[in-house]
Amino acid sequence: MEFKGSNLIKLLLLTQCLTVLCVSQNYDFFYFVRQWPGSYCNTNRSYCYPTTGKPAADFGIHGLWPNRNDGSYPSNCDPNSQFNPSEVSNITSKLQSHWPTLACPTNNGTRFWAHEWEKHGTCSMSKLNQHDYFELAIKLKQKTDLKQTFRNAGINPNGGPYSLSNMKEAIKKAFGFTPHIDCNVDASGKSQLFQVYMCVNRTGSNFIECPVFPRGGRCKPSIMFPVF
Ligand SMILES: *[C@@H]1O[C@H](CO)[C@@H](O)[C@H](O)[C@H]1NC(C)=O
Ligand SMILES: *[C@@H]1O[C@H](CO)[C@@H](O)[C@H](O)[C@H]1NC(C)=O
Ligand SMILES: *[C@@H]1O[C@H](CO)[C@@H](O)[C@H](O)[C@H]1NC(C)=O
Ligand SMILES: *[C@@H]1O[C@H](CO)[C@@H](O)[C@H](O)[C@H]1NC(C)=O
């Protein structure tokens, strides 16, 4: 009995420690991920423009994702916190232009933002409420204009191909940190620039060197940069 009891206490203590650990180390940094709409839309995947019309020919936000230094990430951290459009009502038009949905069936973006908030944003609620989470992503995008950065390096959405390492170098030169670049394939099977990941510290205030890169770089050394 005594033995069992002390084991139970140990188990309880362990569970509590783990809970504390989970809360305090839920995430270490953010991936700030942007997508090139031309590379979303020229695959065989179905896509639609949002109801607000064709998005700008710019890298749109995909998400701001809490991640851990060991490469894992938390998700769906608070099922009770649903996306609430009224929290972002004073930045809705900015969301429409900087964070446009490309998914079918066509819609106004609310579903995309709700998914991003519920899956990812709820995991950084200890630092950022809904409004601040979305506003932060917009500010991060405005601080790091990827299209202009590439243009300055002679890299333009004209098909390409371009060297993957030159693309990474252009971003590193402009902002000081090496990005992760993710590719997909166009309908004819060519590797193309799809998403750019940059890392942001836990509080969201600074870009940082990525503690870990996502697994699997699907890019070829030479990649397309399609027109949009
Ligand atoms: C927008 O609304 C949020 C609360 O929902 C508020 O904190 C923020 O200051 C508002 N921003 C502007 C520019 O009015
Ligand atoms: C977006 O669409 C949803 C669902 O149709 C609707 O409830 C919501 O009011 C729309 N929001 C805006 C900002 O147009
Ligand atoms: C896209 O569709 C075309 C025509 O059906 C097919 O030849 C091609 O292999 C497909 N490409 C991909 C990446 O699925
Ligand atoms: C994020 O960067 C800011 C500015 O350098 C710094 O004050 C803050 O402590 C950093 N937060 C973390 C968790 O690294």
Side-chain angles (χ1 to χ4, degrees), residues 48-181:
C48 304
Y49 295 152
T51 45
T52 41
K54 181 178 176 177
D58 189 14
F59 289 84
I61 298 169
H62 181 174
L64 182 62
W65 302 338
N67 211 86
R68 301 192 188 100
N69 288 344
D70 69 4
S72 69
Y73 64 91
S75 62
N76 298 103
C77 295
D78 185 355
N80 295 320
S81 173
Q82 290 187 333
F83 177 69
N84 178 359
S86 70
E87 297 259 347
V88 295
S89 57
N90 62 6
I91 51 170
T92 302
S93 63
K94 282 187 179 170
L95 286 173
Q96 283 166 346
S97 56
H98 296 289
W99 201 324
T101 182
L102 299 168
C104 272
T106 188
N107 71 98
N108 61 18
T110 304
R111 273 192 297 131
F112 188 22
W113 308 325
H115 168 81
E116 291 298 315
W117 170 255
E118 286 156 21
K119 179 168 180 192
H120 300 286
T122 54
C123 299
S124 53
M125 273 166 75
S126 58
K127 298 270 179 255
L128 297 162
N129 65 29
Q130 268 190 56
H131 179 271
D132 295 351
Y133 176 80
F134 286 98
E135 187 164 63
L136 172 63
I138 293 166
K139 287 198 169 134
L140 291 170
K141 176 176 180 287
Q142 289 172 328
K143 275 202 258 185
T144 51
D145 183 337
L146 294 180
K147 195 179 170 196
Q148 183 63 46
T149 299
F150 282 137
R151 184 184 299 144
N152 293 347
I155 297 168
N156 294 295
N158 56 6
Y162 292 103
S163 134
L164 174 65
S165 59
N166 285 354
M167 288 183 149
K168 289 186 181 170
E169 196 50 44
I171 293 175
K172 181 172 168 95
K173 200 175 142 215
F175 306 116
F177 304 107
T178 305
H180 172 76
I181 292 184

Side-chain angles (χ1 to χ4, degrees), residues 44 185-189:
N44 284 8
V185 292
D186 68 14
S188 70

